[in-house]
Amino acid sequence: MATSTDACEEVLASTISACEEVPNSHLKTIFIDQEEIHSKNSYIKEYFECSNHMDKYTSFCINHDCPLCSQCIKEHTGCCDVTPLKDVISNVKGSKEFQDILQLLQELEENLQVIKSEKEKNIIEIADQRRKFEDEIHEIRRKVHDHLDVIEKQMLDELKEAENKESENIRESIQKIGQNVVNVREMYTALFNMKQNASDLQTFLEMKNVQSQLSQHEDFIQTINLKETYIECFIQPEISDLFRNIPSLGSVTVLSRPSNVKICRKQHRQAQVMMSPYLLSIRNIKPKFVSGLNIHGMLPSISGVCVTERDEYIFTCQETNEIMLLQSNGSKKFLISLKSSGAFDIVLLSDTSAAVTSGDKKKHGITLVDISLGKSTKFIKLPGQSYGITSNEEYLFVAVKGKGIQMLNKESLKPLNIIRCEITNGAYIDEYNGNIYITNSSENKVLCCDMNGVEKWVFNRDDILKEPYGIGVDGRRNVYVVGGGTLNVVVLSPDGAQHRQLISDKKLHLTLPRALSLDRTRKRINFANEKSFLFVYNIEY
């Protein structure tokens, strides 16, 4: 039996002899590492022996294309093409098949090298592409920074301009007040000196002169705007979008809010002169029935109501998500289905358009409706379930559950800031003179807060007002709320300290009244049962 070294030398000698017979044009020089060959001696030994029986190969099965040892032949007794191995391997190294295999191996290696080179080249190309896009990204970022610098400067300039303008107005007011302070002090000094040194006649005449001027100064105090001016700066939520779609970082708005300044009046006559109409007792309010509108069979329920300038009534139905407009004679003008966007509460935006909240729908926001054409025109997405809705000359206010009061620009209808306050399921709201009024039917509460969401007062008497829903505020800041559980309409004083049941179930046979709207111009309350009837009352003071 040959040793491992002998076997290796025999293989190398045979390989060299075979290579000499292959044309040089089809071969290339391959350097062989002798240590690598010797490390494979065990492999060569195993190659000459059957791995299953550890015996030398003696035959070859042409049918199965495999070498056989003396033990393997027993398993191939049925094969007709079993040939002695020595006949098969005769002149194998000089055969064309052997040369073809060598050439195929060489081509395979060349192909693998080409593929490898292409992959390495691809890595370089990817790196080049990455650097190219990095440059583009840096350029985009530079443009974003440049654009942000521009709109930041615009915003800062706008803030400064707003500050300067309002500060100048306040300084002018301070100057006028200072002049009046000097005049009043001079009159006081003159009268005081006359009391010590002048005659009764001189004192009397000067007193009359001072009285005539005193009324002028009191009139001047009446003209002073006691509201505090403040600057509100709201940053656009679209700032996260593409910079070229952002016209500015936001907007600067000058608003006003009630001041904490209290005017002191010691004399009874002066107190009468300065008495605000808001302080008049709610006991003087007299509701006067105007009409009732039967809508039985037209809508299954009513969740919101508003009135047009032509005395047309628009109702929302949360149950069927529909809007219905009735003309002043009680005939139906149109019925709009808002099944996808919902219909909870409604407010007029103009003579021809209204905004409707989505309520419990998964699609949160408000739908704009063209009431002249009787169709919806646009949907504005908001950050949560949207319930009560109201407006003033500049802004639209929407109660968003769990968020607060969403403000929108009434003209552009772009969402602005959110007034953080307590908003629960089915809340109704109204706004007047910088205050927000909110109902909370689940906790039987009526709340009043300022434009910053700071709570000013809370009314919570379920024996007087249970399940408060629709709410409205008149021109004297009296608050009207419909009680779904107590079946009544209650009026609250401007400070929420006093209450009075204005309309009860005894005469009207109310059944879960919900919707309420208040027309400040006409001094009129419109409220509806959840089913069947709308009631209209004039308010007299």
Side-chain angles (χ1 to χ4, degrees):
M1 183 175 179
T3 64
S4 298
T5 305
D6 294 336
C8 289
E9 290 175 352
E10 182 181 345
V11 170
L12 288 171
S14 302
T15 302
I16 293 172
S17 174
C19 290
E20 289 175 350
E21 298 178 9
V22 179
N24 293 334
S25 59
H26 299 286
L27 297 175
K28 69 176 183 178
T29 302
I30 300 176
F31 295 98
I32 300 175
D33 190 342
Q34 294 293 331
E35 292 183 3
E36 182 178 356
I37 291 176
H38 286 292
S39 68
K40 295 181 178 179
N41 284 342
S42 60
Y43 164 75
I44 295 173
K45 181 178 180 179
E46 291 176 0
Y47 186 79
F48 286 143
E49 294 180 350
C50 174
S51 59
N52 294 327
H53 305 107
M54 303 303 293
D55 196 2
K56 288 185 178 181
Y57 292 124
T58 59
S59 305
F60 189 87
C61 180
I62 297 175
N63 290 342
H64 292 91
D65 194 28
C66 64
L68 306 175
C69 69
S70 58
Q71 300 294 324
C72 294
I73 291 177
K74 298 176 182 178
E75 300 173 3
H76 289 258
T77 54
C79 297
C80 58
D81 290 330
V82 175
T83 305
L85 186 60
K86 63 180 181 177
D87 295 340
V88 175
I89 64 175
S90 177
N91 197 31
V92 65
K93 298 175 183 178
S95 67
K96 185 177 184 303
E97 184 181 2
F98 184 78
Q99 295 176 22
D100 289 343
I101 291 174
L102 287 176
Q103 186 173 354
L104 287 174
L105 288 171
Q106 182 178 343
E107 291 176 355
L108 179 61
E109 181 188 3
E110 290 175 353
N111 290 333
L112 290 173
Q113 290 290 354
V114 170
I115 294 172
K116 179 184 176 185
S117 298
E118 288 299 315
K119 293 296 182 182
E120 291 172 345
K121 181 180 177 182
N122 192 202
I123 291 175
I124 297 173
E125 290 175 349
I126 291 173
D128 292 339
Q129 292 169 357
R130 185 257 306 163
R131 284 189 287 269
K132 175 186 174 183
F133 289 124
E134 277 184 352
D135 293 340
E136 292 182 7
I137 292 170
H138 289 321
E139 179 64 18
I140 292 173
R141 181 170 181 174
R142 185 189 63 78
K143 290 181 178 180
V144 170
H145 278 292
D146 291 345
H147 184 73
L148 289 176
D149 287 342
V150 172
I151 60 178
E152 178 190 34
K153 185 177 183 302
Q154 292 174 351
M155 195 75 167
L156 294 176
D157 291 344
E158 191 176 352
L159 277 171
K160 189 64 177 177
E161 182 181 354
E163 177 196 8
N164 293 339
K165 182 179 178 181
E166 296 307 315
S167 297
E168 183 61 29
N169 292 337
I170 295 172
R171 290 190 187 97
E172 290 179 2
S173 179
I174 291 173
Q175 184 179 5
K176 292 179 181 179
I177 294 171
Q179 292 174 354
N180 278 266
V181 169
V182 172
N183 294 339
V184 170
R185 186 181 295 119
E186 289 176 352
M187 288 188 292
Y188 177 83
T189 302
L191 277 179
F192 184 81
N193 291 336
M194 282 189 172
K195 180 180 179 181
Q196 303 294 329
N197 305 315
S199 65
D200 290 343
L201 176 60
Q202 289 175 321
T203 303
F204 176 77
L205 294 175
E206 181 63 20
M207 182 182 69
K208 289 298 182 182
N209 179 47
V210 169
Q211 282 180 332
S212 64
Q213 296 184 48
L214 187 60
S215 62
Q216 296 177 4
H217 288 287
E218 288 184 345
D219 292 341
F220 170 74
I221 290 179
Q222 295 289 327
T223 64
I224 298 175
N225 183 2
L226 294 179
K227 293 182 178 179
E228 294 179 358
T229 299
Y230 67 99
I231 295 175
E232 182 177 275
C233 180
F234 171 67
I235 304 301
Q236 293 279 9
E238 293 90 349
I239 197 67
S240 60
D241 297 337
L242 293 177
F243 72 93
R244 56 176 58 91
N245 293 329
I246 305 173
S248 66
L249 277 174
S251 59
V252 176
T253 306
V254 177
L255 302 175
S256 61
R257 60 188 172 202
S259 170
N260 293 324
V261 175
K262 303 295 182 181
I263 304 299
C264 300
R265 295 298 180 190
K266 295 182 179 180
Q267 295 184 3
H268 178 67
R269 182 186 64 83
Q270 291 173 325
Q272 288 181 332
V273 171
M274 293 300 297
M275 180 177 290
S276 168
Y278 303 146
L279 300 179
L280 296 176
S281 174
I282 58 175
R283 304 299 171 189
N284 298 327
I285 298 175
K286 297 178 181 179
K288 184 177 180 181
F289 179 79
V290 176
S291 63
L293 192 61
N294 189 348
I295 60 170
H296 181 71
M298 299 183 184
L299 285 176
S301 61
I302 302 171
S303 57
V305 61
C306 66
V307 187
T308 69
E309 291 293 325
R310 293 175 291 185
D311 273 339
E312 295 175 327
Y313 291 86
I314 309 177
F315 302 92
T316 56
C317 176
Q318 185 184 17
E319 184 177 344
T320 59
N321 296 307
E322 294 176 312
I323 307 170
M324 182 178 69
L325 187 145
L326 293 185
Q327 301 181 86
S328 55
N329 59 6
S331 61
K332 182 166 64 176
K333 185 175 181 179
F334 65 71
L335 184 71
I336 304 174
S337 175
L338 298 178
K339 292 189 180 299
S340 62
S341 56
F344 180 83
D345 197 12
I346 186 169
V347 68
L348 284 176
L349 300 179
S350 67
D351 292 338
T352 60
S353 65
V356 182
T357 55
S358 59
D360 295 326
K361 283 286 185 179
K362 292 183 179 179
K363 189 177 181 180
H364 304 150
I366 58 176
T367 302
L368 303 183
V369 177
D370 189 324
I371 57 178
S372 63
L373 300 177
K375 66 178 184 178
S376 59
T377 59
K378 185 179 181 182
F379 184 83
I380 299 173
K381 187 178 179 180
L382 295 180
Q385 293 178 339
S386 305
Y387 291 102
I389 187 169
T390 188
S391 69
N392 58 22
E393 293 181 357
E394 299 178 74
Y395 302 107
L396 194 63
F397 304 87
V398 183
V400 179
K401 181 181 178 181
K403 303 292 184 180
I405 306 295
Q406 173 71 67
M407 292 179 60
L408 298 93
N409 183 290
K410 192 173 181 181
E411 183 175 353
S412 66
L413 293 175
K414 284 190 175 182
L416 303 175
N417 62 306
I418 293 180
I419 302 172
R420 301 294 177 182
C421 55
E422 181 183 10
I423 297 296
T424 56
N425 187 61
Y428 289 81
I429 62 171
D430 199 7
E431 185 277 343
Y432 184 67
N433 200 30
N435 289 329
I436 302 289
Y437 302 84
I438 309 163
T439 60
N440 181 337
S441 59
S442 60
E443 298 179 12
N444 303 313
K445 294 193 300 186
V446 179
L447 304 92
C448 173
C449 65
D450 62 20
M451 299 297 286
N452 295 317
V454 178
E455 187 176 283
K456 301 185 76 171
W457 55 262
V458 178
F459 180 84
N460 189 3
R461 288 279 304 274
D462 59 0
D463 58 328
I464 303 297
L465 188 62
K466 188 175 182 180
E467 296 178 19
Y469 289 115
I471 188 169
V473 184
D474 67 15
R476 298 187 176 186
R477 294 194 301 168
N478 298 309
V479 184
Y480 301 80
V481 188
V482 62
T486 42
L487 305 179
N488 57 0
V489 176
V490 173
V491 60
L492 306 177
S493 59
D495 59 0
Q498 302 178 38
H499 66 270
R500 177 188 167 199
Q501 180 172 269
L502 205 63
I503 303 169
S504 68
D505 178 51
K506 293 180 180 179
K507 295 181 179 180
L508 302 180
H509 304 291
L510 301 177
T511 56
L512 190 59
R514 291 180 64 193
L516 181 146
S517 67
L518 191 141
D519 189 332
R520 296 191 188 108
T521 304
R522 301 175 187 176
K523 298 180 181 178
R524 180 175 293 179
I525 297 177
N526 309 284
F527 72 99
N529 270 337
E530 187 184 42
K531 305 180 185 296
S532 301
F533 276 91
L534 171 79
F535 303 97
V536 182
Y537 279 80
N538 283 340
I539 297 299
E540 298 177 355
Y541 302 100

